[in-house]
Amino acid sequence: MSTEPVETVEVTTASVACDGGPGAAGHPKVYLNLAKGGQIDCPYCGKRFVMKAGAKAAAAH
Protein backbone atom coordinates (compact mmCIF):
# COMPACT_ATOMS: atom_id res chain seq x y z
CA MET A 1 0.00 0.00 0.00
CA SER A 2 1.46 3.35 -1.06
CA THR A 3 0.60 6.51 0.80
CA GLU A 4 0.72 9.89 -0.89
CA PRO A 5 2.67 12.71 0.81
CA VAL A 6 0.73 15.50 2.50
CA GLU A 7 2.65 18.06 0.46
CA THR A 8 5.58 17.94 -1.96
CA VAL A 9 8.25 20.64 -1.79
CA GLU A 10 10.93 21.06 -4.47
CA VAL A 11 14.34 22.00 -3.05
CA THR A 12 17.76 22.84 -4.46
CA THR A 13 19.89 21.53 -1.59
CA ALA A 14 20.45 18.01 -0.29
CA SER A 15 19.86 19.09 3.31
CA VAL A 16 16.51 20.54 4.43
CA ALA A 17 14.74 21.49 7.65
CA CYS A 18 11.08 20.84 8.42
CA ASP A 19 9.00 22.18 11.30
CA GLY A 20 5.59 21.18 9.95
CA GLY A 21 4.41 24.75 9.49
CA PRO A 22 2.68 27.22 11.79
CA GLY A 23 0.14 26.50 14.49
CA ALA A 24 -1.20 23.10 15.43
CA ALA A 25 0.31 21.52 12.31
CA GLY A 26 3.81 22.27 13.62
CA HIS A 27 6.30 19.85 15.14
CA PRO A 28 9.89 20.04 16.45
CA LYS A 29 12.30 21.19 13.73
CA VAL A 30 14.14 18.28 12.16
CA TYR A 31 16.99 18.35 9.66
CA LEU A 32 16.79 15.83 6.85
CA ASN A 33 19.23 14.72 4.14
CA LEU A 34 17.79 13.73 0.80
CA ALA A 35 18.40 10.11 -0.09
CA LYS A 36 20.36 9.08 -3.17
CA GLY A 37 17.04 8.96 -5.01
CA GLY A 38 16.67 12.71 -4.47
CA GLN A 39 13.78 12.70 -2.02
CA ILE A 40 12.86 12.21 1.62
CA ASP A 41 9.63 12.30 3.66
CA CYS A 42 9.44 14.06 7.03
CA PRO A 43 8.86 11.40 9.70
CA TYR A 44 6.59 13.77 11.68
CA CYS A 45 4.23 15.32 9.14
CA GLY A 46 4.77 13.33 5.94
CA LYS A 47 5.83 16.33 3.86
CA ARG A 48 7.95 15.13 0.92
CA PHE A 49 11.06 17.02 -0.14
CA VAL A 50 12.32 16.34 -3.67
CA MET A 51 15.35 17.67 -5.54
CA LYS A 52 14.24 20.19 -8.14
CA ALA A 53 14.86 19.00 -11.71
CA GLY A 54 18.20 20.25 -12.96
CA ALA A 55 19.46 21.25 -9.49
CA LYS A 56 22.85 19.99 -8.44
CA ALA A 57 23.05 18.97 -4.81
CA ALA A 58 25.79 20.95 -3.09
CA ALA A 59 27.84 19.33 -0.37
CA ALA A 60 26.72 20.43 3.08
CA HIS A 61 29.23 22.06 5.39
Side-chain angles (χ1 to χ4, degrees):
M1 179 168 92
S2 174
T3 59
E4 291 298 314
V6 178
E7 178 182 355
T8 299
V9 180
E10 289 187 325
V11 297
T12 57
T13 61
S15 180
V16 296
C18 183
D19 64 5
H27 59 69
K29 184 181 277 188
V30 291
Y31 295 91
L32 308 166
N33 293 311
L34 273 64
K36 292 195 184 285
Q39 73 177 31
I40 192 163
D41 294 345
C42 176
Y44 283 99
C45 66
K47 189 181 294 187
R48 178 168 291 167
F49 296 91
V50 296
M51 186 63 69
K52 188 173 183 174
K56 295 184 179 180
H61 290 81

